[in-house]
Amino acid sequence: MGQDERKTKETVVEQVVKSIKLGIKEGNYVPGQRLIESSLTESLKVSRGPLREAMWRLSGEGLLDIKPNYGVEVKRLTKEEALGIFDIREVNEGLAARLAAINADPASIKRLKKALELTESSHKDPDLLNFMKANDLFHDTIIEMAENQQLKDHIEQLRLPIYRLQFKNIIRGVTSQSVKQHREIFEAISQKDPKKAERAMQRHIRASANLLKKAVD
């Protein structure tokens, strides 16, 4: 296989990975759903080789479960796995908020304010996906403001869309609380107060974890 051919295959695999991730994020593929290879090759217009390679990659990222003699399904998180993710997110996103406060400038604060306003305007939207997108934008803006690529990569790996969709009824019950906490995080970052920003973000992540634990129990 020549270099150009390998590059083309890698590009196709990346496109499949992105398509499946988007499908999970938007609820087209739900936790526990079996993914049928023939259906995906047709809908994504790819051959079996790149599709299988993409599935192995997504399995390595914790998005899919590949089961011998059964097939591939979208991964379900146990309560323990979900809470473990929250523990790590609390530390990492707290650090991101701290760095964002240190790096904050008028332009980035303006972007963060727009993201905050979007969460405030969408938290009562009947379509929960709109709030989830706004919530992602708020957190993504803070992560970008942190200006730490390694931290960004680690957080993105942990912020899987699976558990948000798996526990979407829980999320619907905390949108108002999340918006209030987002406001506290924004104010700390806009005031360039690293300690306050870190604590506010940690409280935000911890509150979601606590609610999940109570709901599942």
Side-chain angles (χ1 to χ4, degrees), residues 87-102:
D87 286 342
I88 303 172
R89 283 187 60 197
E90 182 179 328
V91 175
N92 286 351
E93 294 197 45
L95 174 58
R98 168 186 280 271
L99 294 175
I102 292 172

Side-chain angles (χ1 to χ4, degrees), residues 88-216:
I88 303 172
R89 283 187 60 197
E90 182 179 328
V91 175
N92 286 351
E93 294 197 45
L95 174 58
R98 168 186 280 271
L99 294 175
I102 292 172
N103 297 330
D105 58 27
S108 62
I109 291 172
K110 184 177 180 180
R111 290 196 302 273
L112 186 59
K113 185 177 181 181
K114 287 184 177 180
L116 172 68
E117 291 171 346
L118 190 58
T119 64
E120 290 176 335
S121 64
S122 65
H123 82 279
K124 292 184 179 180
D125 194 314
D127 186 349
L128 182 60
L129 185 59
N130 289 331
F131 173 77
M132 291 170 67
K133 288 179 178 179
N135 181 72
D136 282 350
L137 178 60
F138 181 80
H139 284 267
D140 288 344
T141 303
I142 291 173
I143 293 166
E144 290 294 338
M145 291 173 68
E147 298 180 7
N148 185 309
Q149 187 61 47
Q150 289 77 15
L151 180 62
K152 177 183 178 181
D153 292 342
H154 198 192
I155 291 173
E156 288 180 349
Q157 180 70 17
L158 292 169
R159 286 176 60 215
L160 302 178
I162 301 170
Y163 73 88
R164 291 177 295 168
L165 292 168
Q166 187 171 334
F167 304 112
K168 62 184 179 181
N169 290 333
I170 298 171
I171 297 171
R172 187 175 295 282
V174 296
T175 54
S176 296
Q177 174 183 296
S178 291
V179 167
K180 181 180 178 181
Q181 292 164 352
H182 283 180
R183 170 64 65 174
E184 293 171 355
I185 295 166
F186 168 76
E187 289 176 354
I189 292 175
S190 64
Q191 293 165 8
K192 296 183 66 68
D193 188 328
K195 290 183 179 180
K196 185 177 178 182
E198 183 173 30
R199 288 195 298 267
M201 179 63 81
Q202 288 175 337
R203 285 196 300 272
H204 174 51
I205 301 297
R206 195 181 310 130
S208 297
N210 289 337
L211 189 70
L212 170 63
K213 186 174 185 300
K214 291 178 182 177
V216 174

Side-chain angles (χ1 to χ4, degrees), residues 4-62:
D4 290 343
E5 190 176 350
R6 283 196 300 270
K7 187 174 181 181
T8 299
K9 182 181 178 182
E10 289 171 1
T11 301
V12 173
V13 171
E14 289 292 343
Q15 290 173 347
V16 175
V17 167
K18 289 179 181 178
S19 295
I20 295 177
K21 280 184 175 180
L22 182 63
I24 293 172
K25 187 173 185 178
E26 295 186 344
N28 298 321
Y29 310 130
V30 300
Q33 178 180 339
R34 186 180 179 188
L35 300 183
I36 307 301
E37 190 176 87
S38 58
S39 297
L40 287 174
T41 55
E42 182 178 348
S43 63
L44 299 177
K45 295 180 171 50
V46 295
S47 61
R48 293 178 184 271
L51 176 63
R52 289 175 178 174
E53 188 173 333
M55 284 181 167
W56 278 108
R57 188 177 301 184
L58 291 166
S59 174
E61 293 183 18

